[in-house]
Amino acid sequence: MLILTCPNCGIAADETELHADGQAHITRHGAGASDDDLEEYLFMRNNPKGVHFERWRHVYGCGKWFHAARCTMTLEVFGTYPAQTLEPPKDLVAKIKKKRPDWEGFVK
């Protein structure tokens, strides 16, 4: 079972208390967007084997959004951080790089 710690309220919650909302750090286009922008948002996503940055909501807790870095192969969670960031924190990136030296780094 996947357990993530909400950085907003500090509670460690299993995935049944959370809602996954896909890839983090992307521009979410909506009404009024061009066809190309909407196509990119809906269909052109990173789907890596390995380290992935995702957007989650603590539905049955504080209700706030946050981001998580985890491995898609092993479900190892590297860390979580508030959703109001444009890229992962440098200390989290360093932690991932230390555990996965072959990781190419964060790509938006």
Side-chain angles (χ1 to χ4, degrees):
M1 179 170 290
L2 186 61
I3 297 176
L4 299 171
T5 300
C6 176
N8 301 301
C9 65
I11 293 175
D14 67 56
E15 59 193 298
T16 62
E17 297 179 41
L18 306 166
H19 171 74
D21 193 41
Q23 185 178 341
H25 304 293
I26 61 171
T27 302
R28 289 174 158 73
H29 296 284
S34 70
D35 287 347
D36 289 340
D37 285 344
L38 196 56
E39 176 188 16
E40 183 176 329
Y41 167 64
L42 291 174
F43 304 112
M44 305 304 182
R45 301 283 182 92
N46 292 335
N47 190 17
K49 181 178 178 182
V51 179
H52 189 58
F53 295 89
E54 301 171 322
R55 182 175 140 122
W56 290 81
R57 182 170 177 249
H58 194 181
V59 177
Y60 297 109
C62 66
K64 295 184 178 179
W65 290 97
F66 65 93
H67 292 163
R70 71 177 184 93
C71 178
T72 59
M73 296 184 306
T74 64
L75 297 183
E76 176 184 6
V77 177
F78 298 106
T80 59
Y81 52 100
Q84 295 77 18
T85 58
L86 299 177
E87 58 184 46
K90 293 185 186 326
D91 61 330
L92 180 58
V93 171
K95 178 181 176 182
I96 297 168
K97 195 71 174 161
K98 185 176 180 180
K99 287 186 168 190
R100 302 279 198 289
D102 57 332
W103 179 54
E104 296 177 7
F106 172 70
V107 179
K108 196 168 189 180

